[in-house]
Amino acid sequence: MTTNLDRTAPRNLVAELPARLSLTPKTTLASQLDGAWWPYSRDLEAELPPLAAALEEPWGRVTRVTVNPTRWPVVPHTVAVHGRTLHVGWFAEQDPDKLILLSYTVGRSDLLVIPPETEPAAAARLMAAAAIPGSVLTAGVLMANEAAVGRGIRDAGRREATWEGEGGACMSPFGNPMERSALPLPGNGWR
């Protein structure tokens, strides 16, 4: 059986790039998420070592990771990280947009996983939202909210392009361009 990985960055390049990570500041406020991670590809074997290395200072050694397999084409059982083994598991019941990490120092930490193909502006909004202390928003809710924001931005862009393409034509209340003759005459009779 052959499995194709959807890679947006080659494996050797991913190992050299720093992990794109946003962590919730340490506070007494409990949050649904402990931050966000924006991987460069959907290749867990290439992506997990830089993530584990980036988290070693703030959280200690990460020993286990769990994912939902719907977002990852291949889920390896173990991944080599700097001469040690990181155990990887999967649960279909786990939120597909979340990564759970376990370490001896911090315990459990949950990260929002931002899809690698996400536009940078959307990823920045998601990383900021996931790192808000005390937030009660789950990974799925953040992703749904961002999808709605993205649709709104695209729709506004289309409306502006239509406006510009029609020479700034006035629109009827029904969203149709109005002919100049349909516009009401101003008080002095000029159009």
Side-chain angles (χ1 to χ4, degrees):
M1 183 171 124
T2 304
T3 302
N4 293 327
L5 294 178
D6 177 23
R7 294 190 180 137
T8 56
R11 183 177 283 196
N12 58 354
L13 180 61
V14 169
E16 297 172 13
L17 295 172
R20 297 183 291 191
L21 194 59
S22 174
L23 300 177
T24 305
K26 291 185 188 267
T27 68
T28 57
L29 298 173
S31 300
Q32 287 288 322
L33 296 167
D34 299 296
W37 173 49
W38 185 22
Y40 295 95
S41 71
R42 294 199 181 271
D43 182 357
L44 274 175
E45 198 164 355
E47 294 288 345
L48 287 177
L51 175 64
L55 292 173
E56 200 154 318
E57 183 180 326
W59 291 353
R61 181 178 287 184
V62 175
T63 58
R64 184 171 297 277
V65 174
T66 64
V67 297
N68 182 314
T70 60
R71 299 286 199 259
W72 305 97
V74 176
V75 180
H77 294 292
T78 59
V79 173
V81 178
H82 303 297
R84 60 184 177 82
T85 301
L86 177 62
H87 297 276
V88 183
W90 60 269
F91 295 100
E93 298 82 18
Q94 182 175 322
D95 186 329
D97 299 310
K98 185 167 68 172
L99 180 82
I100 298 174
L101 303 121
L102 301 173
S103 78
Y104 292 121
T105 310
V106 176
R108 177 182 165 158
S109 299
D110 296 8
L111 294 178
L112 169 70
V113 178
I114 300 168
E117 61 276 2
T118 303
E119 294 292 323
R125 286 189 297 270
L126 285 166
M127 291 183 97
I132 296 173
S135 175
V136 296
L137 300 178
T138 64
V141 169
L142 286 175
M143 294 302 286
N145 288 351
E146 181 53 42
V149 167
R151 276 192 306 275
I153 291 170
R154 284 188 301 279
D155 290 348
R158 274 191 232 114
R159 284 192 302 274
E160 184 174 338
T162 300
W163 172 267
E164 293 296 328
E166 295 171 349
C170 291
M171 302 297 276
S172 76
F174 305 106
N176 301 320
M178 293 174 58
E179 297 295 325
R180 188 154 176 80
S181 61
L183 296 175
L185 291 173
N188 61 9
W190 291 91
R191 285 190 192 251

